[in-house]
Amino acid sequence: ASPETAPISVDFTVLREINPDVVGWLYCEDTPINLPLVRGKNNDVYLHRMIDGSWNPAGTLFLDYRNAGDFSHGNTIIYGHNMKDKSMFAVLPSYNDPEFYAQHPVMWLLTPEQDYKVELVAGCLTSSDSAVYSFGQSQETVYQQVLSCMDRSTFQSGLQISQEDRFVTLSTCSYEFEEARYILLGRLISLA
């Protein structure tokens, strides 16, 4: 079988001319997620800015500034707003419904260096001070956190993970309680 390729392609040269902070592109078929990823000098820069720097309440999807821009960390956190118009990461809490997961089990992460298939392994409610948001953790700790999220996931992926796996955590606000977050965890599979 030929190696899988991402269903879309992205011209990073053009994007980086607009903004050198662009580090990737996230795509999930049949959802509003078909969007650039940036990494700013802190986590406030892109809360309410587009990639061209213009003000916009929806902001841009952004990596935690403490993460490496090349997704080499064990867990890379990507934040996005839960917008009422269903844009940005508003679709994430749809993964509370196992049926939605069944229809959208993967996303695609494209970067200037490498494309990845993102196999979604778990989705769960957590709080903004959850350990999942702390940095400098060992692979072992990241692995345990993913397992713990799998235990209380709103869908069952049936996937087996290992300590060698690298993950992305997609995070958005949720409204079940004060400072609630819905996080979606995906394993990165490098595409040739």
Side-chain angles (χ1 to χ4, degrees):
S2 63
E4 263 185 301
T5 53
I8 60 165
S9 61
V10 171
D11 187 339
F12 283 106
T13 312
V14 169
L15 282 171
R16 286 186 147 172
E17 279 169 11
I18 301 170
N19 186 339
D21 283 351
V22 171
V23 291
W25 191 278
L26 191 64
Y27 173 69
C28 183
E29 225 163 319
D30 299 323
T31 76
I33 298 178
N34 187 9
L35 299 160
L37 300 172
V38 291
R39 177 173 166 265
K41 60 181 186 297
N42 58 48
N43 285 343
D44 298 328
V45 184
Y46 291 103
L47 267 178
H48 304 294
R49 289 194 187 287
M50 306 292 279
I51 69 166
D52 65 3
S54 61
W55 193 87
N56 185 302
T60 303
L61 301 183
F62 63 94
L63 270 61
D64 195 292
Y65 74 99
R66 295 164 294 186
N67 272 126
D70 61 0
F71 300 89
S72 57
H73 284 169
N75 181 22
T76 298
I77 299 174
I78 303 170
Y79 302 98
H81 287 297
N82 185 346
M83 301 299 290
K84 284 196 177 62
D85 67 4
K86 297 289 178 235
S87 66
M88 306 318 282
F89 269 178
V91 76
L92 294 191
S94 305
Y95 282 92
N96 276 308
D97 177 2
E99 192 51 41
F100 189 85
Y101 167 76
Q103 291 160 1
H104 309 87
V106 299
M107 292 193 192
W108 304 87
L109 169 65
L110 286 67
T111 78
E113 298 78 33
Q114 164 90 57
D115 293 346
Y116 301 93
K117 181 179 181 178
V118 182
E119 295 182 336
L120 301 174
V121 297
C124 63
L125 261 184
T126 191
S127 65
S128 60
D129 58 3
S130 156
V132 97
Y133 297 109
S134 41
F135 280 81
Q137 307 188 98
S138 66
Q139 280 293 112
E140 164 69 22
T141 308
V142 168
Y143 172 72
Q144 292 302 333
Q145 285 173 350
V146 177
L147 284 179
S148 146
C149 190
M150 288 173 87
D151 283 343
R152 44 181 224 277
S153 179
T154 52
F155 59 84
Q156 296 308 310
S157 64
L159 295 167
Q160 299 292 315
I161 61 165
S162 87
Q163 274 192 56
E164 279 67 63
D165 289 334
R166 276 186 297 156
F167 298 93
V168 288
T169 296
L170 312 180
S171 172
T172 198
C173 290
S174 196
Y175 303 104
E176 289 76 2
F177 52 87
E178 190 73 25
E179 292 297 315
R181 301 288 184 270
Y182 187 83
I183 56 172
L184 195 57
L185 278 68
R187 167 171 57 185
L188 294 181
I189 306 291
S190 302
L191 302 178

